[in-house]
Structure formats: C-alpha cells, structure tokens
Amino acid sequence: MTAYDRDNIFAKILAGTIPSVKLYEDEDTLAFMDVMPQAPGHLLVIPKAGSRNLLDADPAVLAKLLPVVQKLANAAKEAFEADGVYIAQFNEPAAGQTVFHLHFHVIPRHDGLPLKPHAGGMADVELLKAQAEKIRAAL
Ligand code: 5GP
C-alpha cells in the first residue's frame, strides 16, 4: 500500500495550517464540516494519528474513533431533524477516496431528498459555521 503522505489536506487541518469549521476535538479525534457537503450537516470525523485510510489504521485508533462517529451522527441527526444518517468511508481511489487521511463521512438524510454529488460544489463558509453551531448545540 502507498505510504501515508504527511502533507495531505487533513494533516494540514490537524496542524492548523489550513482552516476548517470545527465541531468537536479530543486527544485523539477531530470532527469538522465538509467543505463540499452532499447534504446540509455533512461532516467528517478523523483520527489525529496518521493513516492513509481504514486499511492501514491501528485498530486501537479505530476503537477510539467509532464512538466519536456515533456521537456526531446522533448530534447531526438531531440538529437537522433528519430521518436517518449516512456514514461513508472510502479506501483508495477505486473506492472513491480523494483525501488520503482516514475519515468517516457523517451525512444527515431526509426521506425523499437525494444526496448531492460526492465532492461537488463548495459551500458558503458562513452557512457551514451556522450549521456547525446547530450540531455543537446537540452534542
Ligand atoms: P473522500 O476522500 O472520502 O472521497 O472525501 C474527501 C472529502 O473531503 C470530500 O467530501 C471533500 O468535500 C472533503 N474535502 C476536501 N478538501 C477539504 C478541505 O480542505 N476541507 C474540508 N473541510 N473538507 C474537504
């Protein structure tokens, strides 16, 4: 497998050299809004430890990550009064992965509302900040 690239965009978000709209942070994990949301409330949960994706991740890191995915999924569902939550995680380009630092997508879903395309248009940052406020309030 290709080695982890320490210059990937999420490593830069973790290092604070690229801005993000943050939702939650602890010793091991960061959650922030996706800049190209497929639905309102689309967020990403990443471990602070570097791995390219799920396939090369330390199982101990995964064990700490999934409870945070659950926490954010419940908060996003409540904040957007969603009917369900879509969790997605891609491994390697063939599977749709475009950023090579492990991440889980958390996307609130409403009955009958289709998802926008993956990595489509950029959202307005003020809108993302307002949505993040709602999710944080539900945490
Ligand atoms: P994947 O690697 O699973 O295909 O998706 C990467 C996700 O990261 C996409 O949904 C894309 O919109 C998001 N993304 C790409 N660059 C940035 C960025 O600079 N900031 C944030 N917050 N999200 C990003």
Side-chain angles (χ1 to χ4, degrees):
M1 175 185 263
T2 314
Y4 176 70
D5 171 13
R6 292 180 184 283
D7 282 334
N8 76 78
I9 205 138
F10 293 170
K12 289 180 178 166
I13 284 176
L14 281 169
T17 54
I18 283 184
S20 66
V21 178
K22 291 188 179 142
L23 291 161
Y24 172 89
E25 182 165 14
D26 64 28
E27 208 182 321
D28 305 295
T29 316
L30 180 69
F32 53 95
M33 301 301 287
D34 193 306
V35 279
M36 292 176 264
Q38 290 184 256
H42 182 170
L43 65 94
L44 301 167
V45 182
I46 69 172
K48 291 187 176 177
S51 74
R52 187 171 159 85
N53 53 43
L54 187 84
L55 304 177
D56 60 334
D58 180 343
V61 169
L62 298 179
K64 288 183 174 163
L65 193 60
L66 208 57
V68 181
V69 172
Q70 180 191 42
K71 187 196 286 274
L72 269 297
N74 276 312
K77 182 172 182 290
E78 185 184 322
F80 286 87
E81 296 178 348
D83 299 305
V85 185
Y86 175 59
I87 312 279
Q89 190 281 312
F90 307 131
N91 301 284
E92 299 302 325
Q97 187 178 9
T98 60
V99 176
F100 298 96
H101 179 111
L102 173 61
H103 54 279
F104 282 83
H105 296 260
V106 174
I107 309 180
R109 298 296 313 267
H110 291 87
D111 289 334
L113 272 189
L115 282 185
K116 291 190 201 150
H118 175 231
M122 295 273 282
D124 174 69
V125 72
E126 291 309 317
L127 176 64
L128 290 182
K129 284 181 182 169
Q131 292 175 339
E133 197 64 43
K134 282 180 21 175
I135 296 171
R136 275 196 299 268
L139 274 171

